[in-house]
Amino acid sequence: MRFPTNRGAAALLATAALVLAPSVAWGQSESGAQDEDDRQRRGRDGSSDIVVTGRSLKTEEGALPVQVLEGDALVHRRQGGLGETLAGLPGIHLDNFGGGASRPVIRGQTLPRIEVLSDGANLFDVSSVSPDHAITTDPLLLDAIEIQRGPSAIRYGGNATNGAINLIDSKVPKSVPVGGVSGATEVRYGTGDEEKTVVGRITAGVGQFALHAEGARRAAEDYDVPDAYGSDRLRDSFAESTSYAVGASWVTSKGYIGAAYSRMESEYGLPGHSHRNAVCHTHGLDLHCAAHGSFEDPFGGPDDHTAAIRLRSDRVDVRADYTDLLPGFSDARLRLSYTDYAHDEIDGDLLFTRFTNEVWDGRLELTHKPVLGFTGTLGVQYTDGRFGGINVNDLHKPFPEGAYGFDGNPDFLTENVGIFFTERRSFGALDIEAAVRKDWRRIDVTVPTWRSTLSPEVEALFVEWYGTEWKNILEGEDVDAFRARNPTVRHNPFSASLGATWNVGQGYALALSLGHTERAPSVRELYARGNNLATNSYELGLAVGNPILGEAGLSAEDVLEKTDAINLTFRRAGGPLEFEVGLFYQSVDDYVFARLQETETETGIPHNFLIYTAADARFAGIDGQVSYAFDPSSRLTLFGDYVDADLKRQDDNLPRIPPGRLGARYDVSTGAVSGDVEYYRTFAQDKLAAYETRTPGYDMLNATLSYRLDLGQTKGVELYVRGTNLLNELAFAHTSFVKDQSPLRGRSLAIGMRHSF
């Protein structure tokens, strides 16, 4: 099938935006630099314990475990990247790449099997393409982060196989501030990397209109590492970023509709990066890393330059949430977004790669009123994207004289239509919920421009050999070969889940969910054909003449990752003793991963030849936490997680699976003073893939102390200090593609002040 153009879809959805918007759900309170929004809610709702977030995920109602990081906990844990901010929460580990890029790992898997959302709308960047690519969000400007693990997040598509992370912000105001104006500021300094951070935000109301502006600036040098690494700082781990947004909303008694423009700029180093292996190429299934003939080193020269990424992301969001807008529907919500993303990868003064991603996306949801006791939501999503940048390492080299062929690089055009439906009903103490989603996705690859710079003498020879139409003949041959190597790929995944929650009473609940999720391979998994210098690997995708699929008589369209999952969660909320413990099991057919073909060491730096393939896999594990309040001012929490993964019928293991972890945290609050101490042990990982090495375990000790000064009314100041890795342990994340060249941060103190008005 052929989908409508992005302009047509955008126009249609923009018209709908004038009258529709997303459903409202009730979540938990938020505080911190978002104090201004708390005051708005107190003025509207009469309580600081209720917050409208536009379908927040509710721990006490869902059949799957959900975590909410907000308030002081979010402010104190915030780092430059999303992965570092969330690392240490039960079930969540870190895939790090220096100080600029970090991705969360949920239950053993990271992007593209985790969907990152911006207030319920997909966040479009290129972080799922390579681990050195940052997630385009600034934790400094977030009000809360909601993490849902498990297949009930299928309403967001097959990429949410292992969960969804919803980033809650205030760039589109949801209410008019009480008193007309509210705001917050924050400054912070970090000792371990000389971090200097400034954050500010303000919301003003005029009648039924609310205007919002916010911004953050963060600059950090190379971060400290323990001396045992061989150096006291990690070279090229610096990171700096600037983020800002402006938004406005029209607020009524039934909801709001608003829009915002946001921009993020970032520059960060790539520790341990080398271009020596840029010369690597293949001869059939043999990897060769020496220059000869037409295979040249696109860089040449020394390999001691700083490599860095310079990133820019512009995004426009339209959001709306209304209640009782249409007959028969209790809620309506709309999310529209346009994303224009680009980043340059630079080695010294050479620009060798540019990644781009331009995406139009629209999502409409309608929640019907109870019918025979059932409430549910019907939704549709349309996405049109243009992506480019993979398989390129020689952007700095001009088209040569005396040559012919393609000049430029292809774009990958993705069109996706998804429809989804959820239903829910309570039968006394038993809550039942079900969800289904169907997608139709198509990826086309554009053919680059063909040109010739042959001399007249050589052209005369081609006329003699091919005739006067020699250019058309040669171009046609090249185009046919290109299309054969880069075919159009279509997938139509279907996902469904069924969950039940038994509310036993006295705060106890037992939740069971079953899910079947289908995920289509990503662009990199399909079309990779070349060197990835960030991970020191040469990669071959599923759709570009893959020999493993060829031997099996399969095409890329035959590969669809299918996961059958079961999740069991036991929780208790309220009272001194609270806990949430989850068990999970996943059986995956056609799990897509990069299989090692060989490792070449000719340049002195090992380079892995990886071929994407599919095999059956299994994941199983446990995660959760148990806490006990000794009194209203102190609480002890024990937490941990463990994942076991296995490649069925294969003599190998899956790579980068996190090891087990156990820890404890003690929180105390007495008047204006509060603090916490957290310790956890991450165990060694001995279960390795063919090209991995053992990762030793480590101990991590963190602590926070804060003092809050109430200035009356809605004003307040908080002073805080947070120490991380106080034991100064040399620690490596087994989940990282570059664990040996990018150890975790050494001992560091973050000293900050927040002011609300």
Side-chain angles (χ1 to χ4, degrees):
M1 64 182 295
R2 187 68 183 172
F3 302 120
T5 65
N6 55 9
R7 293 184 179 86
L12 177 63
L13 293 171
T15 303
L18 298 177
V19 295
L20 296 177
S23 60
V24 176
W26 301 99
Q28 303 181 25
S29 65
E30 305 164 335
S31 58
Q34 66 271 20
D35 289 341
E36 50 167 320
D37 301 303
D38 291 340
R39 291 193 298 279
Q40 297 172 27
R41 292 188 286 267
R42 285 196 291 269
R44 185 183 67 235
D45 302 320
S47 168
S48 63
D49 297 327
I50 301 292
V51 52
V52 177
T53 64
R55 199 180 302 284
S56 293
L57 306 174
K58 294 178 61 179
T59 302
E60 68 274 20
E61 290 189 2
L64 288 172
V66 177
Q67 297 167 278
V68 181
L69 183 63
E70 57 187 355
D72 292 342
L74 173 59
V75 170
H76 298 156
R77 295 183 71 101
R78 289 184 307 198
Q79 299 282 350
L82 184 62
E84 283 190 289
T85 299
L86 298 179
L89 296 177
I92 303 179
H93 288 250
L94 167 69
D95 169 13
N96 73 309
F97 210 113
S102 63
R103 308 187 298 182
V105 178
I106 299 180
R107 290 182 165 178
Q109 300 177 64
T110 185
L111 282 68
R113 295 177 180 89
I114 298 172
E115 191 65 72
V116 182
L117 311 167
S118 176
D119 199 17
N122 297 66
L123 185 70
F124 295 102
D125 50 29
V126 298
S127 56
S128 64
V129 176
S130 183
D132 60 319
H133 299 170
I135 297 174
T136 54
T137 186
D138 193 335
L140 297 167
L141 295 174
L142 296 179
D143 298 336
I145 303 175
E146 302 169 328
I147 308 106
Q148 180 169 353
R149 295 160 290 168
S152 73
I154 62 166
R155 69 171 63 197
Y156 300 111
N159 285 351
T161 295
N162 234 47
I165 299 176
N166 196 18
L167 309 174
I168 303 299
D169 58 54
S170 297
K171 60 187 178 183
V172 177
K174 296 180 174 68
S175 61
V176 178
V178 176
V181 178
S182 62
T185 62
E186 181 179 353
V187 294
R188 188 169 74 175
Y189 175 77
T191 63
D193 54 5
E194 300 182 35
E195 174 199 359
K196 303 174 185 67
T197 295
V198 178
V199 185
R201 57 196 298 170
I202 187 170
T203 303
V206 180
Q208 290 183 289
F209 291 92
L211 306 176
H212 180 83
E214 62 185 27
R217 169 65 179 168
R218 178 180 182 270
E221 302 297 329
D222 292 343
Y223 63 69
D224 290 348
V225 292
D227 292 339
Y229 184 64
S231 173
D232 60 353
R233 284 185 176 267
L234 180 62
R235 182 187 172 187
D236 295 339
S237 61
F238 65 89
E240 61 178 60
S241 64
T242 301
S243 302
Y244 60 86
V246 292
S249 294
W250 176 46
V251 183
T252 72
S253 60
K254 287 190 174 184
Y256 73 94
I257 182 170
Y261 164 77
S262 56
R263 182 180 179 92
M264 179 178 181
E265 297 176 349
S266 178
E267 181 173 357
Y268 57 90
L270 303 176
H273 176 88
S274 171
H275 63 235
R276 290 188 200 175
N277 289 324
V279 71
C280 295
H281 56 277
T282 58
H283 298 281
L285 290 179
D286 178 56
L287 183 66
H288 191 203
C289 292
H292 65 88
S294 61
F295 299 107
E296 300 177 349
D297 181 353
F299 291 92
D303 193 31
D304 57 357
H305 300 298
T306 289
I309 285 181
R310 294 175 185 167
L311 178 157
R312 172 200 53 80
S313 179
D314 293 287
R315 181 175 170 115
V316 177
D317 285 276
V318 175
R319 301 174 182 171
D321 291 272
Y322 282 98
T323 60
D324 298 322
L325 184 65
L326 300 172
F329 294 94
S330 59
D331 300 288
R333 84 177 324 207
L334 185 73
R335 294 292 185 263
L336 300 174
S337 69
Y338 167 73
T339 302
D340 183 10
Y341 172 97
H343 84 236
D344 293 339
E345 300 190 2
I346 301 167
D347 191 325
D349 58 355
L350 299 179
L351 169 64
F352 66 93
T353 305
R354 173 173 292 151
F355 281 84
T356 60
N357 201 27
E358 184 181 17
V359 183
W360 298 83
D361 183 69
R363 183 183 183 93
L364 175 65
E365 298 181 13
L366 296 174
T367 301
H368 68 76
K369 293 181 178 180
V371 177
L372 301 177
F374 287 91
T375 58
T377 300
L378 174 65
V380 60
Q381 181 177 6
Y382 172 80
T383 305
D384 187 295
R386 176 183 288 266
F387 165 81
I390 63 172
N391 307 329
V392 180
N393 284 311
D394 58 355
L395 202 61
H396 58 287
K397 298 187 66 174
F399 192 86
E401 292 296 324
Y404 65 89
F406 293 124
D407 183 14
N409 301 294
D411 287 329
F412 300 84
L413 310 180
T414 300
E415 291 183 292
N416 191 94
V417 171
I419 57 174
F420 53 93
F421 187 59
T422 67
E423 281 295 326
R424 177 184 178 84
R425 182 177 177 179
S426 295
F427 297 88
L430 185 65
D431 297 330
I432 303 294
E433 54 186 328
V436 296
R437 175 164 174 141
K438 178 66 176 179
D439 285 88
W440 294 267
R441 192 193 76 174
R442 170 176 174 149
I443 300 179
D444 293 297
V445 186
T446 64
V447 179
T449 301
W450 194 94
R451 64 178 295 199
S452 168
T453 57
L454 298 177
S455 66
E457 292 79 12
V458 175
E459 286 189 359
L461 291 176
F462 275 81
V463 171
E464 181 179 341
W465 295 335
Y466 295 98
T468 57
E469 296 296 316
W470 66 271
K471 285 187 178 181
N472 292 333
I473 294 173
L474 294 180
E475 180 179 356
E477 292 176 350
D478 286 349
V479 169
D480 289 343
F482 177 89
R483 287 176 173 163
R485 294 194 307 268
N486 299 274
T488 294
V489 176
R490 301 173 181 83
H491 286 99
N492 304 323
F494 172 81
S495 301
S497 68
L498 177 65
T501 302
W502 178 29
N503 300 293
V504 182
Q506 297 183 334
Y508 290 94
L510 183 65
L512 174 68
S513 73
L514 306 175
H516 173 82
T517 307
E518 297 181 355
R519 184 186 74 89
S522 68
V523 169
R524 184 169 212 105
E525 292 168 335
L526 288 169
Y527 296 105
R529 191 186 185 95
N531 291 305
N532 183 349
L533 299 183
T535 59
N536 282 316
S537 60
Y538 186 100
E539 301 175 6
L540 187 65
L542 296 165
V544 290
N546 189 297
I548 297 178
L549 292 188
E551 291 178 3
L554 301 174
S555 71
E557 292 185 341
D558 297 319
V559 179
L560 187 63
E561 193 173 282
K562 300 178 180 180
T563 302
D564 293 317
I566 180 170
N567 292 262
L568 180 65
T569 305
F570 188 37
R571 64 172 69 101
R572 185 181 191 275
L577 178 66
E578 294 187 321
F579 59 81
E580 181 172 299
V581 179
L583 296 166
F584 63 93
Y585 178 87
Q586 299 176 349
S587 178
V588 190
D589 292 340
D590 285 345
Y591 185 88
V592 178
F593 72 106
R595 182 197 297 273
L596 178 67
Q597 177 69 20
E598 70 165 303
T599 300
E600 176 62 67
T601 60
E602 192 166 355
T603 66
I605 296 178
H607 204 60
N608 295 318
F609 182 16
L610 303 177
I611 300 178
Y612 283 98
T613 185
D616 296 343
R618 172 194 57 78
F619 293 83
I622 182 173
D623 50 44
Q625 60 183 19
V626 180
S627 68
Y628 183 81
F630 298 99
D631 54 56
S633 64
S634 63
R635 179 178 291 272
L636 176 65
T637 302
L638 305 178
F639 59 90
D641 51 66
Y642 174 75
V643 177
D644 179 65
D646 180 55
L647 272 175
K648 301 179 182 178
R649 298 179 293 277
Q650 299 288 325
D651 186 22
D652 198 2
N653 294 310
L654 286 171
R656 296 176 295 280
I657 300 300
R661 179 175 55 191
L662 283 175
R665 181 176 61 254
Y666 179 69
D667 298 272
V668 63
S669 177
T670 57
V673 179
S674 62
D676 66 74
V677 177
E678 176 185 75
Y679 163 82
Y680 60 84
R681 171 70 180 176
T682 298
F683 299 99
Q685 180 57 282
D686 299 305
K687 191 173 182 180
L688 310 174
Y691 55 95
E692 291 186 309
T693 58
R694 179 182 183 274
T695 303
Y698 60 88
D699 300 300
M700 189 63 63
L701 179 64
N702 307 317
T704 306
L705 180 65
S706 68
Y707 177 80
R708 189 181 299 273
L709 180 62
D710 189 357
L711 302 181
Q713 296 295 323
T714 58
K715 301 178 181 180
V717 172
E718 184 201 29
L719 304 173
Y720 66 88
V721 57
R722 177 168 175 82
T724 55
N725 195 4
L726 294 176
L727 300 176
N728 203 32
E729 284 258 332
L730 179 58
F732 300 91
H734 186 78
T735 48
S736 173
F737 281 77
V738 290
K739 66 168 186 176
D740 294 326
Q741 67 197 54
S742 185
L744 301 182
R745 298 172 184 269
R747 182 186 297 116
S748 181
L749 295 178
I751 305 167
M753 180 182 72
R754 292 185 290 154
H755 173 224
S756 59
F757 59 90

